[in-house]
């Protein structure tokens, strides 16, 4: 879920081997030496060694986060398969799984709290959340606190730790694509989207190009599930969302009988974990944890589990969005 901007793939792998080697070497050093002391100056060698093995990157976190033992995550938990509630009401998906793997490296729990997507950065800015992780595309506008609609500065912006790459797709009711293959084919039709996302921005941009006698009508909703319901009920001609979400809806809605993807995905760009500009230590700790789970293979297993391996990055990147 994103605001529009020119996008690019994330950077190539370059420091994973070094990160993995440092983590392993650090763990061996701490377990092999009997005279290690804890940060308070006590002996505590066994406890220190145990913590280093169980959570090798814990000391990278700000002390207040370590003291809490948790990172509060703002997320729009209605965006399957990235984050959503399962039949038992548990928060599941790509983001929660990646966060849990990172949490093992950092020795903390990532606690997901539900919020509407377009309010997450505001919640981060106000201190309600420590981070925002919600299929949020890393863009220059968000980095700089610029409203993508008006071009005006509305805040100090955020930093991103990029962890996935995704494009945007169009989908229609199954067997009724109405000739829609590209964004220009939406002229004269109605499209449903989630408010505040790149899909909405792309639809607005396309609407400006449509001839006067073929206007593009856009209906935006608080979450993607509402948009899907509208399309399923015949209230629109097409929907648009990030590729993993659109593909998941096509596969699962109505047992695969409700929707179909049309055309190719566009605007491939990085998803980023948003962190306040004044929280560089937390940002860098998250980057180290992500690099660690990429190196140890947990990251790849998670993406394979959800069928989105094509969106994998080879290295965590800070503010890679354009």
């Amino acid at each position: 879920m994103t605001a529009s901007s020119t996008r690019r793939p994330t950077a190539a792998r370059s420091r994973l081997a070094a990160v993995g080697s440092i983590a392993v070497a650090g763990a061996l050093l701490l377990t092999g030496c009997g005279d290690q002391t804890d940060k308070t100056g006590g002996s505590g060698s066994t406890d220190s060694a145990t913590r280093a093995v169980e959570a090798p990157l814990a000391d990278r976190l700000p002390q207040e986060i370590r003291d809490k033992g948790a990172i509060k995550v703002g997320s729009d938990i209605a965006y399957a398969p990235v984050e959503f509630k399962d039949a038992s009401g548990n928060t599941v998906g790509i983001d929660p799984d990646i966060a849990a793997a990172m949490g093992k490296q950092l020795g903390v729990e990532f606690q997901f709290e539900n919020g509407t997507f377009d309010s997450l950065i505001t919640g981060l800015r106000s201190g309600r959340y420590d981070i925002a992780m919600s299929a949020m595309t890393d863009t220059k506008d968000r980095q700089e606190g610029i409203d993508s609609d008006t071009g005006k500065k509305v805040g100090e912006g955020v930093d991103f730790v990029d962890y996935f790459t995704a494009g945007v797709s169009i989908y229609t009711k199954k067997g009724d694509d109405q000739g829609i293959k590209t964004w220009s084919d939406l002229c004269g039709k109605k499209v449903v989207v989630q408010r505040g996302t790149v899909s909405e921005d792309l639809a607005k941009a396309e609407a400006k190009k449509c001839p006067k006698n073929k206007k593009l009508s856009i209906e935006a909703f608080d979450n993607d599930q509402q948009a899907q319901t509208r399309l399923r009920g015949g209230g629109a001609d097409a929907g648009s969302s990030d590729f993993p979400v659109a593909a998941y809806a096509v596969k699962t809605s109505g047992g695969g009988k409700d929707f179909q993807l049309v055309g190719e995905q566009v605007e491939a760009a990085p998803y980023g974990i948003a962190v306040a500009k004044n929280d560089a230590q937390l940002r860098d700790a998250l980057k180290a944890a992500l690099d660690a789970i990429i190196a140890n293979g947990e990251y790849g297993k998670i993406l394979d589990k959800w069928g989105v391996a094509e969106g994998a990055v080879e290295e965590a990147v800070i503010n890679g969005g354009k």
Side-chain angles (χ1 to χ4, degrees):
M1 291 179 271
T2 69
S4 63
S5 69
T6 303
R7 304 180 175 187
R8 67 175 186 178
T10 50
R13 188 174 196 165
S14 62
R15 295 192 291 174
L16 294 182
V19 172
S21 298
I22 291 170
V24 172
L28 291 173
L29 177 62
L30 287 169
T31 55
C33 298
D35 61 350
Q36 297 297 312
T37 59
D38 63 22
K39 289 186 177 293
T40 63
S43 58
S45 58
T46 301
D47 288 345
S48 296
T50 300
R51 285 195 300 270
V53 171
E54 293 181 350
L57 300 176
D59 61 353
R60 303 284 190 96
L61 287 169
Q63 188 62 49
E64 63 183 68
I65 296 288
R66 297 177 66 186
D67 290 343
K68 289 189 302 182
I71 294 174
K72 290 197 298 183
V73 184
S75 187
D76 178 8
I77 309 174
Y79 209 57
V82 186
E83 52 263 316
F84 63 105
K85 298 285 188 180
D86 66 12
S88 300
N90 300 312
T91 299
V92 297
I94 300 165
D95 282 0
D97 282 357
I98 290 174
M102 292 170 64
K104 288 190 292 184
Q105 296 291 321
L106 295 167
V108 294
E109 179 185 0
F110 283 66
Q111 297 176 342
F112 279 69
E113 299 185 8
N114 197 26
T116 57
F117 182 74
D118 57 359
S119 70
L120 296 181
I121 288 182
T122 301
L124 178 61
R125 191 181 300 127
S126 69
R128 179 178 178 183
Y129 313 122
D130 297 312
I131 65 174
M133 188 175 187
S134 190
M136 183 178 290
T137 298
D138 173 3
T139 69
K140 277 294 183 184
D141 281 352
R142 284 187 174 136
Q143 293 171 25
E144 298 172 1
I146 303 296
D147 185 303
S148 58
D149 284 336
T150 65
K152 295 180 179 179
K153 192 169 179 63
V154 294
E156 64 181 356
V158 296
D159 284 335
F160 286 99
V161 180
D162 298 339
Y163 65 98
F164 188 75
T165 300
V168 179
S169 294
I170 300 171
Y171 59 99
T172 66
K173 293 184 71 174
K174 193 162 189 176
D176 187 22
D177 66 14
Q178 302 186 54
I180 298 170
K181 300 297 182 186
T182 67
W183 281 87
S184 61
D185 295 329
L186 292 173
C187 292
K189 303 186 186 301
K190 182 176 184 178
V191 64
V192 289
V193 296
Q194 181 174 359
R195 187 175 295 108
T197 64
V198 71
S199 292
E200 183 182 26
D201 289 343
L202 286 173
K204 288 178 178 178
E206 193 61 46
K208 294 177 181 178
K209 304 175 187 176
C210 292
K212 292 182 179 180
N213 63 339
K214 293 184 66 177
K215 291 184 178 181
L216 168 56
S217 176
I218 305 165
E219 189 171 4
F221 295 86
D222 285 340
N223 63 61
D224 202 69
Q225 292 174 351
Q226 293 170 346
Q228 292 175 24
T229 299
R230 183 68 161 167
L231 177 60
R232 191 183 299 112
D237 301 298
S240 176
S241 57
D242 290 359
F243 171 73
V245 178
Y248 188 81
V250 167
K251 180 179 179 180
T252 61
S253 182
K257 297 179 181 179
D258 288 344
F259 304 127
Q260 66 184 43
L261 291 171
V262 295
E264 302 293 330
Q265 60 174 310
V266 299
E267 294 287 306
Y271 284 173
I273 302 170
V275 187
K277 285 287 189 184
N278 62 358
D279 215 346
Q281 185 178 356
L282 175 57
R283 178 201 67 197
D284 293 345
L286 294 172
K287 182 187 185 304
L290 182 58
D291 276 332
I293 67 169
I294 291 172
N296 70 18
E298 285 189 84
Y299 172 82
K301 291 177 181 178
I302 292 167
L303 299 194
D304 286 341
K305 168 186 171 181
W306 292 103
V308 293
E310 66 272 20
V313 299
E314 296 184 326
E315 178 186 18
V317 173
I318 293 175
N319 294 334
K322 300 299 180 183

